[in-house]
Amino acid sequence: MHGDLRADTAAAGRIRRADDVLDMQRAARKGGTKPVLRWLAGRTGASVFLMNSAGTPAHPPHAPLGDAERGLALRGARELAERRLGSVAIDQDGLTCIVLPLDGSRGAAAPLLAAVAPHPAPRELPLLLADATSVLSLSWLAEHTRRKQRRLRIAEAGTREAVLHLLLNGHTSAARQIARALRPALPAMVRVYVIEGPPRVRGQLVGELTDAADGAWIVPCPVYADHLFLLAPDDGAPAPVWPPELAAACWIGESSAVTLRETATGYAQAFHALAAARGRPERHASFAASPDLAPTIGPAAATWAEALLTPIRTHRARRAQDPDSAELLATAASWLSFSSRATAHLDIHRNTLSARMACIEELLGLDLHRLADQAALALALRTVAAQVPPPPEGDAARAGEMLPTLDELLLLPRVGAWAQQQFRPVTAPDVPACIAETLTTWLRLDARIGPTATALSISTSTVRKRLTRSEALLKRSLLRSPSATHDQWLALRALDLAQPNEVPRHLPASPSAHDEAACAGLGTSRSHRAAHGAELPFWVQK
């Protein structure tokens, strides 16, 4: 009879033990290590936690440990390491501490499982802890692997972002050297895509794009949280086929084919194409190429740009921590492209950006709050980047005696033709005259929305609406950097200098009924403004 009772008790113990193991496995499946430790604490009434060999908790218990408990656990960890035991149990000061090692893997030092309970400890505590080591070892190893993979993903993303920074700043050789450690290799000819979509799905989009664009570099944009930067090889292969979910939820801007050294140019092109894509039902647009102003001006632009930038080029940093000429030129280019977001592009503090811009203004004698000075500096930097050849030596010597001014360069006949082309989309006969009026007023008022609205007696939302329409017509970004604002200001200045009192022949001299209706839909109508004495741009005046 006593034998049957002992057998029944043993069987019940085995069933209870099996149930405990199943409970621990269920807890591990639900949430990993922490739920298992909580279950053990609730089951035994002990403080159960993971710690490293130095006694530092890796997963601390739910209730903070007292000094006595912490000291006992540290002693157990020390004895386990020194005596190379499979487990340690210590009774001291009315407490019982049990320490067991978890199973790790090569290169991963597994933590120790520790439990501290009032003496005498529950009889089932040692067996429960022994059974828990297998469950906790697997859970900890899975979590450790996920943490390691996450660190690797973060490191790779940081490396890819560094390569993107180098390419955008013109450091192609350094970008190639760093990119060799990753895949795929950087191609010689590329197309740049800027993809705009909800930031919350950016990680998902990266995975989909990796499958859709074979051989492409995909980097989250460091400047805009809702943009992805895709650098695809231009090797004659078919264009990427975008996943339906991406095509339905995102806008895509595509650059022309450019060399790897011209990645920054390709990025600007893709950004302008993105502005056009926002107004299209297919949500995709390619860059509409047009002549660049620096090559249009020719060698005289190189002479003028060199003279303008000489104070920065010859600048020497007074202290080791001060920016040198290369850093100032990179900062100027980034600020002109991204404004205050240059801090993200250059990965510098906003105070550093302000200090550098103040230094640039002082060296060049410019007021970069004025759009005119911004446009001049942007043209000079683009002229250098485009490597416009200087005039022959004899011509250069004569030019050195009398350096050209920017206005003199803009008065060149070929520049006038370029300027007409820049404004032709917004001055076409079927475009409401208020579009060109708002754009030119905005440019003359240093691209400020508020003063433009005041000057035209319209709301700021109406100004934004008309400028958005201008973006769609010009196929260029205006309201978001990098923008075509500097080019448009230079074109406006060239037209003002060339024909200040004339009306271009391709425009109507008086408003049409279509103009009246369209402008009424975009704010105050043209006839209303004329009746109230509002001045119109020179090419849409009567």
Side-chain angles (χ1 to χ4, degrees), residues 238-331:
V241 178
W242 308 110
E245 299 83 3
L246 183 144
C250 301
W251 293 270
I252 303 171
E254 176 186 351
S255 77
S256 305
V258 296
T259 63
L260 188 64
R261 180 175 58 83
E262 299 173 312
T263 300
T265 300
Y267 173 71
Q269 291 181 358
F271 200 92
H272 292 314
L274 180 64
R278 294 188 190 105
R280 296 186 177 183
E282 64 270 26
R283 306 169 76 92
H284 178 281
S286 299
F287 178 69
S290 63
D292 190 39
L293 179 56
T296 300
I297 296 174
T303 303
W304 169 81
E306 181 65 27
L308 179 65
L309 297 176
T310 292
I312 292 185
R313 288 177 173 274
T314 57
H315 170 71
R316 296 293 180 267
R318 297 177 181 176
R319 302 174 300 173
Q321 63 267 35
D322 290 340
D324 57 18
S325 59
E327 288 176 306
L328 289 178
L329 288 171
T331 301

Side-chain angles (χ1 to χ4, degrees), residues 358-414:
C359 181
I360 291 167
E361 285 186 314
E362 182 180 352
L363 288 171
L364 299 181
L366 298 177
D367 179 5
L368 293 177
H369 292 92
R370 297 179 61 244
L371 187 55
D373 287 359
Q374 293 176 27
L377 180 55
L379 177 59
L381 291 171
R382 287 212 316 274
T383 301
V384 173
Q387 299 180 346
V388 176
E393 291 186 8
D395 294 343
R398 289 191 295 271
E401 299 173 1
M402 185 66 71
L403 289 171
T405 65
L406 178 59
D407 280 354
E408 289 171 343
L409 297 178
L410 296 178
L411 274 169
L412 294 171
R414 55 183 178 273

Side-chain angles (χ1 to χ4, degrees), residues 3 27 70 73 79 81 97 152 198 214 225 261 291 429 466:
R70 190 180 300 108
E79 289 194 14
C97 176
L152 288 173
D214 186 36
R261 180 175 58 83
R466 294 180 184 179

Side-chain angles (χ1 to χ4, degrees), residues 62-416:
H62 181 69
L65 292 174
D67 292 340
E69 295 169 316
R70 190 180 300 108
L72 195 58
L74 180 59
R75 178 186 166 189
R78 191 181 301 116
E79 289 194 14
L80 193 71
E82 291 175 354
R83 299 169 64 182
R84 299 183 180 181
L85 300 173
S87 63
V88 168
I90 303 173
D91 291 328
Q92 178 180 307
D93 299 332
L95 295 173
T96 297
C97 176
I98 301 176
V99 181
L100 302 92
L102 297 186
D103 296 327
S105 62
R106 181 178 297 179
L112 307 175
L113 172 61
V116 181
H119 184 75
R123 293 179 56 188
E124 67 271 18
L125 180 59
L127 190 58
L128 280 171
L129 293 177
D131 290 338
T133 54
S134 60
V135 177
L136 287 171
S137 294
L138 290 174
S139 296
W140 177 85
L141 190 57
E143 292 168 1
H144 173 76
T145 302
R146 286 195 293 270
R147 286 193 298 268
K148 193 172 181 179
Q149 290 174 340
R150 182 174 179 273
R151 286 195 293 268
L152 288 173
R153 287 195 298 270
I154 292 173
E156 180 177 346
T159 305
R160 289 183 180 276
E161 185 175 321
V163 170
L164 173 59
H165 277 291
L166 290 169
L167 290 173
L168 292 178
N169 289 313
H171 304 299
T172 310
S173 298
R176 284 186 180 278
Q177 290 173 3
I178 296 176
R180 287 196 187 106
L182 303 173
R183 288 285 184 267
L186 289 173
M189 294 293 296
V190 298
R191 287 184 185 270
V192 179
Y193 296 84
V194 175
I195 302 166
E196 181 178 278
R200 65 181 183 278
V201 298
R202 194 159 72 165
Q204 176 187 346
L205 291 178
V206 170
E208 294 178 355
L209 287 169
T210 302
D211 297 333
D214 186 36
W217 273 67
I218 305 165
V219 184
C221 179
V223 180
Y224 294 107
D226 56 347
H227 284 185
L228 282 174
F229 180 98
L230 190 148
L231 193 72
D234 185 65
D235 52 5
V241 178
W242 308 110
E245 299 83 3
L246 183 144
C250 301
W251 293 270
I252 303 171
E254 176 186 351
S255 77
S256 305
V258 296
T259 63
L260 188 64
R261 180 175 58 83
E262 299 173 312
T263 300
T265 300
Y267 173 71
Q269 291 181 358
F271 200 92
H272 292 314
L274 180 64
R278 294 188 190 105
R280 296 186 177 183
E282 64 270 26
R283 306 169 76 92
H284 178 281
S286 299
F287 178 69
S290 63
D292 190 39
L293 179 56
T296 300
I297 296 174
T303 303
W304 169 81
E306 181 65 27
L308 179 65
L309 297 176
T310 292
I312 292 185
R313 288 177 173 274
T314 57
H315 170 71
R316 296 293 180 267
R318 297 177 181 176
R319 302 174 300 173
Q321 63 267 35
D322 290 340
D324 57 18
S325 59
E327 288 176 306
L328 289 178
L329 288 171
T331 301
S334 179
W335 183 81
L336 289 168
S337 293
F338 298 107
S339 188
S340 61
R341 292 180 180 268
T343 54
H345 178 230
L346 298 173
D347 195 20
I348 58 176
H349 193 271
R350 60 184 180 183
N351 292 345
T352 303
L353 177 64
S354 298
R356 290 186 186 181
M357 293 309 300
C359 181
I360 291 167
E361 285 186 314
E362 182 180 352
L363 288 171
L364 299 181
L366 298 177
D367 179 5
L368 293 177
H369 292 92
R370 297 179 61 244
L371 187 55
D373 287 359
Q374 293 176 27
L377 180 55
L379 177 59
L381 291 171
R382 287 212 316 274
T383 301
V384 173
Q387 299 180 346
V388 176
E393 291 186 8
D395 294 343
R398 289 191 295 271
E401 299 173 1
M402 185 66 71
L403 289 171
T405 65
L406 178 59
D407 280 354
E408 289 171 343
L409 297 178
L410 296 178
L411 274 169
L412 294 171
R414 55 183 178 273
V415 175

Side-chain angles (χ1 to χ4, degrees), residues 449-466:
I449 298 288
T452 303
T454 302
L456 297 176
S457 299
I458 56 178
S459 67
T460 56
S461 61
T462 300
V463 173
R464 291 183 181 277
K465 188 175 181 181
R466 294 180 184 179

